Amino acid sequence: MEDFSILIGGIAGDGINEAGLTAARLMNRLGYRIFMYYDYPSLIRGGHNFSMVRASSERIGVCRDEIDLLIALNQDTVDRHSGRLKEGSIFIFDADNVMGEGIAEKSCGISVTGILKEEGAPSVMKNSCILGAFCHAVGIEWTVLEEVLKKHIPKKLELNLKVARRGYDQASEFCRIAWLDNSPEPIITGNQAISLGLIRAGLEAYVAYPMTPSSAILDFMANSAEEFGLKVVHPESEIAVILMAEGFAYAGVRAAVGTSGGGFCLMTEALSLAGMAEIPLAIVMAQRTGPSTGLPTYTAQGDLHFVINAGQGEFPRLVVAPGDAEDAYLWSAAALNLAWKYQIPAFILSDKIVSESQYSFDLGLAGKAETARPAQLWNEQGDYHRYRHSDTGVSPLAYPPQRGQVIKADSYAHDATGITTEDAQITREMSDKRVLKAQSLARELEGYETVKLLGDERSRTCLLFWGSNKGVCKEAADSLGLRAVQVLVLWPFPENRLKDALRGVERLIAVECNATGQLATLCRQYGIDVDDRILKYDGRPFSLNDLEIELERREA
């Protein structure tokens, strides 16, 4: 079996995310490549939570609708997901809470609640018990589960092992998942990959106010602060977040912030400050369903135009959109480095799927993320002019204190020294300087893989996508013999590179998680016309079945 899908469902408090991650780790031990999607409402307790784990011999980034194994800790999971089962699927359930009769031919009820009561274990250990049953059902040896639990469960290990063993012993074996020749790989989220990319590029300070789906970056940075020498700050608001990060940058400290759409709304005035004052800053903007509060724990790609156009006035910026963990690692490092080279705000535009999903991660496939590039510093000759003109539009940096020098950072129109002015000639020259920086950045990006070509390069039908739709578009293109083109840098828009990738295409189909086709609209501004749009905007990601069915329907 080279492709195996598992769904684990229950309520918040049942440890569903951890159960899914443990199942993913078990399959990883057997040599499978992993993608895991976690679905949960904005509730601390209750609601319906489920993890979908797909394990494959090939690298993947999307789930299928059908599942090979359903694990139900409550009746709601059965009611919602039993229709996903196919012939030969396995069903494992908590026999104390679930009516399991007739759901599947291969089924196994475990007295999970009874076992926990007998062992005096808390309810969150339901996941350990049911995972013990899962391992026995699919022929994973007890020693493998024991090793995984010992490595990843820091609290009450012995009790977890005890309830897992009892679940294991109560279950029956229905199949035996084969070991593959692949070596296990790290399993990480996109947020963790973003964090590692920023740290690789020399991040020194991370400032954030928690907002799903970016919150886990703050947690990761706080836990890693001592190891990497980071300053990690949680201020009182998003306005304070971005202003504090700009203060760090003014003092020469490489800083990044993280937020989602609602939080970024509050940051836009300070974003313009970064544009006018030429302050380098990396901004992780992890999208969720909007507008306003929207669906706080679900996904969307609705903020592309917002990020490209946010802030008043005209100033350069970089917008990158990773499609998986490897992209997230590589392009987060690039964003921070380019922010400091060109003294601009640089956006890492993620979404719930990239940020919170679990991926098998291959550092070699990700590419070599650059370590911190030194900023262009003032040579300490003569008087310091913060906004001195140059051939690239980039002025040398100096950080306070400098004996005998004034280091300005001015939000008002200013001259080369940073002194406020309303002179028409100087205002125009400074605007030209910012335009020149944008042009210099665009030229440098020609040396990057800003557009990636996937699938069958000879096909005249092409899927155009950005961000988290990479996994579904790549697999659908491979399956149906289509070309697929990923736009990794969305601003400055890679017009020439994209037109080269689309050469020979007769039918161009945009695949996006928004209601208006925001990438397709952006492409039209550059003379690239999209023939069709496949859009999903219900807060859930495309499954592979979603896209394949829609493509086949439109062909008909």
Side-chain angles (χ1 to χ4, degrees), residues 14 71-74 92-98 108-134 163-164 166-168 170:
D14 281 347
I71 301 175
L73 289 171
N74 64 357
I92 301 173
F93 59 97
D94 178 358
D96 298 322
N97 291 295
V98 175
C108 181
I110 307 298
S111 180
V112 175
T113 303
I115 289 171
L116 296 189
K117 186 176 181 180
E118 290 172 13
E119 299 296 343
S123 62
V124 74
M125 289 190 187
K126 288 180 181 179
N127 56 16
S128 295
C129 185
I130 207 79
L131 285 168
F134 158 70
V163 298
R166 290 198 59 182
Y168 188 93
Q170 275 198 18

Side-chain angles (χ1 to χ4, degrees), residues 272-309:
S272 292
L273 168 60
M276 176 61 92
E278 302 188 31
I279 297 172
L281 181 65
I283 303 165
V284 182
M285 230 295 284
Q287 301 164 98
R288 66 193 206 185
T289 309
S292 190
T293 308
L295 301 178
T297 60
Y298 289 89
T299 198
Q301 293 182 316
D303 297 337
L304 173 57
H305 291 177
F306 177 32
V307 165
I308 289 175
N309 297 288

Side-chain angles (χ1 to χ4, degrees), residues 353-407:
I353 304 307
V354 167
S355 284
E356 294 190 344
S357 295
Q358 301 279 353
Y359 298 85
S360 291
F361 180 73
D362 186 327
L363 189 59
L365 286 177
K368 187 175 181 181
E370 291 186 72
T371 54
R373 292 187 190 175
Q376 184 180 342
L377 298 178
W378 177 52
N379 62 12
E380 301 188 19
Q381 302 298 310
D383 292 331
Y384 178 63
H385 290 182
R386 170 63 187 92
Y387 302 105
R388 187 185 300 277
H389 289 271
S390 72
D391 292 340
T392 62
V394 179
S395 307
L397 285 170
Y399 313 125
Q402 290 277 351
R403 184 181 295 275
Q405 302 295 333
V406 176
I407 301 171

